[in-house]
């Protein structure tokens, strides 16, 4: 089954404690993205990757890091989480030239 | 900068009522257009998409959307909504030839259908 898998789905952490949200897709997609969803703000792109070892900032990259060492994986790293990073995070992927995103189930992060 | 605007933030309808959700974008070039739906507690799923050709596109669950290039609009419609259509709806735009990883999303419209 074609899917985008994120882990963890739910996480409560404290300010400053580094965490990683993993994302994996099994569709051999070139493009992968991270979004955060906040009430009234819709979805905002954090980072995206056009292919292995190619990443770029989205609209709200501050406080986040990403890496793309393998085509299927695109982890999101919060080096020193802060309460304003409390949000619902979605990973998504798409094939070359389609523009159609496939989303993961979401990861709800709370930073105390 | 490119942007997507959804005019209705919260819509409440009774079952069997007709639905139209507005979406406008600001970009002068060629675009790909999408509507995504997010049911309560779930991830976003593609409802329908427009790349080229017939400007009236049909999606899943009886939804359709019309691309009007002169108005920079891509409104979503359904003739008769059901309670199960209660969800949040997002319009999104991708610039043709651009980075397909970057969809620009509207703020979303929450649809509540009363049984």
């Amino acid at each position: 089954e074609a899917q985008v898998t994120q882990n963890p789905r739910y996480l409560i952490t404290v300010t400053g404690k580094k965490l990683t949200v993993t994302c994996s897709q099994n569709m051999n997609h070139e493009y992968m993205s991270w979004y955060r969803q906040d009430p009234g703000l819709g979805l905002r792109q954090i980072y995206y990757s056009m292919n292995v070892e190619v990443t770029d900032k989205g609209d709200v990259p501050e406080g986040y890091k990403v890496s793309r060492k393998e085509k299927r994986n695109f982890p999101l790293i919060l080096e020193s989480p802060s309460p304003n990073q409390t949000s619902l995070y979605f990973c998504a992927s798409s094939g070359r030239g389609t523009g159609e995103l496939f989303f993961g189930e979401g990861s709800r992060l709370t930073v105390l | 900068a490119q942007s997507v605007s959804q005019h209705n933030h919260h819509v409440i309808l009774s079952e069997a009522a007709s639905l139209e959700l507005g979406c406008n974008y600001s970009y002068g070039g060629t675009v790909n257009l999408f509507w995504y739906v997010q049911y309560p507690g779930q991830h976003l799923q593609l409802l329908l998409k427009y790349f080229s050709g017939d400007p009236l596109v049909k999606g899943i669950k009886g939804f359709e959307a019309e691309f009007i290039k002169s108005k920079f609009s891509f409104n979503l419609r359904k003739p008769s909504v059901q309670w199960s259509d209660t969800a949040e709806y997002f319009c999104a735009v991708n610039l043709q030839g651009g980075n397909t990883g970057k969809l620009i999303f509207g703020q979303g419209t929450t649809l509540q259908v009363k049984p």
Side-chain angles (χ1 to χ4, degrees):
Chain A
E1 181 189 354
Q3 59 186 6
V4 179
T5 304
Q6 297 178 226
N7 280 295
R9 296 286 314 281
Y10 302 92
L11 179 63
I12 301 174
T13 189
V14 295
T15 299
K17 186 175 181 182
K18 180 179 178 180
L19 67 93
T20 299
V21 186
T22 63
C23 174
S24 181
Q25 51 94 4
N26 63 0
M27 295 169 279
N28 201 36
H29 284 166
E30 288 81 8
Y31 301 101
M32 297 186 75
S33 302
W34 276 102
Y35 289 85
R36 61 178 289 174
Q37 183 179 17
D38 302 289
L41 298 177
L43 282 95
R44 295 178 293 168
Q45 191 180 52
I46 303 170
Y47 269 95
Y48 63 92
S49 170
M50 297 172 67
N51 214 322
V52 175
E53 302 291 1
V54 181
T55 64
D56 208 346
K57 297 178 180 179
D59 300 312
V60 288
E62 294 77 19
Y64 304 95
K65 285 176 58 177
V66 293
S67 67
R68 187 94 182 270
K69 293 182 169 52
E70 303 168 285
K71 195 172 186 179
R72 64 183 291 123
N73 296 323
F74 191 45
L76 179 69
I77 303 158
L78 286 74
E79 293 271 3
S80 182
S82 62
N84 64 12
Q85 292 178 298
T86 292
S87 186
L88 178 59
Y89 292 87
F90 287 101
C91 180
S93 70
S94 69
R96 186 187 300 277
T98 69
E100 176 184 344
L101 287 177
F102 292 81
F103 284 86
E105 298 282 337
S107 296
R108 186 168 293 281
L109 171 65
T110 301
V111 183
L112 302 176
Chain B
Q2 296 83 30
S3 66
V4 178
S5 177
Q6 293 181 238
H7 316 300
N8 318 100
H9 296 296
H10 198 157
V11 174
I12 302 174
L13 296 173
S14 298
E15 276 195 313
S18 64
L19 170 72
E20 180 160 3
L21 301 182
C23 173
N24 286 89
Y25 64 93
S26 63
Y27 179 67
T30 306
V31 295
N32 296 330
L33 298 156
F34 304 83
W35 275 98
Y36 282 85
V37 60
Q38 185 179 29
Y39 297 105
Q42 296 189 25
H43 63 291
L44 280 83
Q45 305 168 46
L46 183 69
L47 204 53
L48 48 78
K49 61 187 177 186
Y50 172 80
F51 285 179
S52 63
D54 188 343
L56 183 63
V57 293
K58 295 190 184 300
I60 60 172
K61 304 186 179 184
F63 286 91
E64 64 179 32
E66 184 176 12
F67 171 48
I68 302 179
K69 189 174 182 180
S70 61
K71 295 185 178 180
F72 299 91
S73 70
F74 190 55
N75 292 355
L76 180 71
R77 300 194 292 249
K78 185 172 184 178
S80 176
V81 295
Q82 300 172 313
W83 177 78
S84 59
D85 292 325
T86 294
E88 190 159 13
Y89 293 81
F90 293 92
C91 181
V93 172
N94 167 255
L95 309 182
Q96 281 195 12
N99 167 27
T100 65
K102 188 172 180 64
L103 280 192
I104 302 170
F105 284 87
Q107 306 93 319
T109 297
T110 300
L111 172 64
Q112 182 182 351
V113 180
K114 294 183 175 180

